[in-house]
Amino acid sequence: MKKFAVAGVIVGLFLAVTGCSGTGQDEGPDEASDLDLTYAVVTHGAPGDAFWDRVKSGAERAGKDYGVKVEYSSDADPAKQSQLVDGAVADKVDGIIVSMANPDGLEQSVKNAVAAGIPVVTINSGIDKWQEFGAMTHIGQSEEIAGKAVGTRLKAAGWKNALCVIQEAGNVGLEERCAAVTSTMGGKVTNLQVDGTDDNAVQATITSKLQADKTIDGVLTLGGQYGIDAVSAVEQAGSSAKVATFDLSQDVITNIKSGKIEFAVDQQPYVQGYAAVTALYLKSINGNDFGGGQPVYSGPAFITKENADAVGEYAAKGTR
């Protein structure tokens, strides 16, 4: 986060310098807020999902730092998410940030935005489709890279029969993660679909699976709050299965320190929100193409008992 805070200062200095360069040309507004820029952030995040709260916080902080308006909305239904994108196009916003958990469902809306001359940045999911749809860049984590790295760690830890818990039906990125984990772990990995909008249901589904198969020795969840559900499920089932998870929260940090969660994969959602607004802002004021035609990776970073304290204070603030 400090990196991008510094970036914000650099941009501010850039504006200050260009505003008094003495060229005699009309150099536009001196203050970023005078540019009257509005960016729409449209995600597939379900209400109450802590991960998307961090994406929203990052985008809003960037908007505050740059003096631009950020309008956040979300809907887990691809059809309704597309309608939100269409609405942003109709409002003639200056840029759109969109997650693409279901790229096919969003394709036409994203292409319409690009055709309307609105810069689009995709975040989180959709790394395989952003170029095809005409977006500027994609900011997020490569599911293949992250998944393979996790599988390698789990193999080293001795996992042989694991559950890979998927909390969003139809999210191709989550399915890619589990497939990548399977490719390097070496043992058996079973995908387990759960209802990510109901933590009690998630815990009950994992508990039932652990009770039915005592040979399961590991539970990998793909979101931080579901890692906490998995810890409770393991205890309730009387299982000795280990738990690891993607994504962070203060509770995840606490469980890593106590040894109940072996590690967490931090794809840094706050960075995804902040960097996406940064990309659009630089496009607006300087015509920059953030990423140079390539995706910008926000992770993975592994949080273990050894480095949990270093990020704990940020997790407590809700930014990691």
Side-chain angles (χ1 to χ4, degrees):
M1 265 53 78
K2 291 180 179 177
K3 177 180 179 181
F4 288 101
V6 171
V9 172
I10 293 173
V11 170
L13 290 172
F14 170 78
L15 288 174
V17 170
T18 56
C20 57
S21 60
T23 62
Q25 299 176 345
D26 181 6
E27 295 170 342
D30 289 331
E31 300 293 335
S33 56
D34 293 339
L35 295 170
D36 194 25
L37 297 171
T38 298
Y39 302 138
V41 183
V42 184
T43 79
H44 67 277
D49 189 323
F51 179 91
W52 291 104
D53 289 342
R54 284 158 174 76
V55 172
K56 181 172 182 282
S57 295
E60 291 177 340
R61 176 56 189 263
K64 182 179 180 181
D65 288 352
Y66 297 139
V68 303
K69 187 176 181 181
V70 172
E71 298 177 339
Y72 182 92
S73 60
S74 68
D75 201 305
D77 183 329
K80 293 179 180 177
Q81 190 189 4
S82 292
Q83 291 173 2
L84 293 173
V85 174
D86 294 341
V89 173
D91 291 340
K92 298 180 179 179
V93 298
D94 300 290
I96 295 175
I97 297 162
V98 58
S99 63
M100 299 199 300
N102 186 325
D104 292 342
L106 289 163
E107 179 177 0
Q108 195 56 55
S109 293
V110 172
K111 287 184 173 178
N112 288 344
V114 173
I118 299 175
V120 175
V121 173
T122 61
I123 60 171
N124 185 253
S125 298
I127 193 170
D128 295 327
K129 293 290 186 176
W130 66 273
Q131 283 181 309
E132 178 183 333
F133 293 177
M136 282 171 49
T137 191
H138 177 86
I139 298 171
Q141 175 177 265
S142 163
E143 307 299 1
E144 182 177 6
I145 293 173
K148 286 184 174 179
V150 168
T152 299
R153 276 181 172 255
L154 297 183
K155 182 177 182 179
W159 289 29
K160 300 185 183 304
N161 183 10
L163 297 177
C164 190
V165 182
I166 298 176
Q167 75 271 14
E168 293 174 0
N171 186 328
V172 295
L174 298 183
E175 293 171 358
E176 288 173 2
R177 245 184 239 176
C178 289
V181 170
T182 303
S183 71
T184 54
M185 197 186 91
K188 178 182 178 183
V189 179
T190 303
N191 290 0
L192 179 65
Q193 185 70 55
V194 297
D195 178 3
T197 64
D198 185 341
D199 282 308
N200 290 329
V202 172
Q203 181 181 330
T205 302
I206 298 173
T207 300
S208 178
K209 196 71 176 177
L210 291 172
Q211 289 173 333
D213 184 354
K214 298 295 185 183
T215 68
I216 295 172
D217 57 8
V219 181
L220 174 66
T221 58
L222 307 185
Q225 68 196 74
Y226 312 112
I228 304 303
D229 295 335
V231 169
S232 298
V234 166
E235 293 174 349
Q236 187 172 352
S239 169
S240 59
K242 305 295 184 182
V243 176
T245 189
F246 280 74
D247 301 334
L248 285 180
S249 68
Q250 188 174 10
D251 288 338
V252 169
I253 292 290
T254 299
N255 278 273
I256 288 174
K257 288 181 178 179
S258 69
K260 293 182 179 179
I261 293 179
E262 295 205 339
F263 64 81
V265 183
D266 186 11
Q267 63 170 307
Q268 304 185 102
Y270 189 89
V271 169
Q272 292 181 11
Y274 197 107
V277 172
T278 300
L280 290 178
Y281 183 65
L282 289 172
K283 185 69 172 180
S284 295
I285 67 166
N286 205 41
N288 293 115
D289 290 316
F290 203 75
Q294 298 296 320
V296 178
Y297 294 143
S298 63
F302 286 93
I303 309 303
T304 65
K305 188 178 290 186
E306 284 69 34
N307 62 0
D309 284 336
V311 299
E313 63 174 297
Y314 303 111
K317 295 177 183 176
T319 57
R320 289 293 297 270

